[in-house]
Amino acid sequence: VVAGGTVQLGCGAQGDPEPRVQWHKERGDLPWGRHEVDQEHTLRLYDVTPADSGTYVCTAQSQLGTAAATARL
């Protein structure tokens, strides 16, 4: 990712009932005012800076359990 660009991180969580999906960053917070998560659970980071580097975690939770996946930026 180029500084100042946009990055998209997908999270393919499915289930019935639909799981609750959350994104967080290990050892930090998602960039305030520069991120969004769409209905397909894709995390978008805008105007990326070097401080945004790190590991991002997508967690899907339902009554059947919890699953998590990571992406490194």
Side-chain angles (χ1 to χ4, degrees):
V1 176
V2 176
T6 298
V7 66
Q8 297 185 98
L9 303 174
C11 183
Q14 299 176 2
D16 187 17
E18 180 91 14
R20 184 174 64 116
V21 176
Q22 293 183 308
W23 278 96
H24 73 273
K25 182 181 178 188
E26 286 186 351
R27 299 185 191 101
D29 296 321
L30 294 174
W32 181 256
R34 296 187 296 112
H35 78 277
E36 70 177 7
V37 179
D38 67 18
Q39 290 184 339
E40 287 79 38
H41 314 299
T42 299
L43 172 65
R44 285 185 184 80
L45 305 174
Y46 300 102
D47 196 20
V48 174
T49 70
D52 295 327
S53 64
T55 301
Y56 291 80
V57 182
C58 171
T59 304
Q61 185 174 16
S62 76
Q63 61 215 35
L64 299 176
T66 302
T70 61
R72 185 148 176 82
L73 178 62

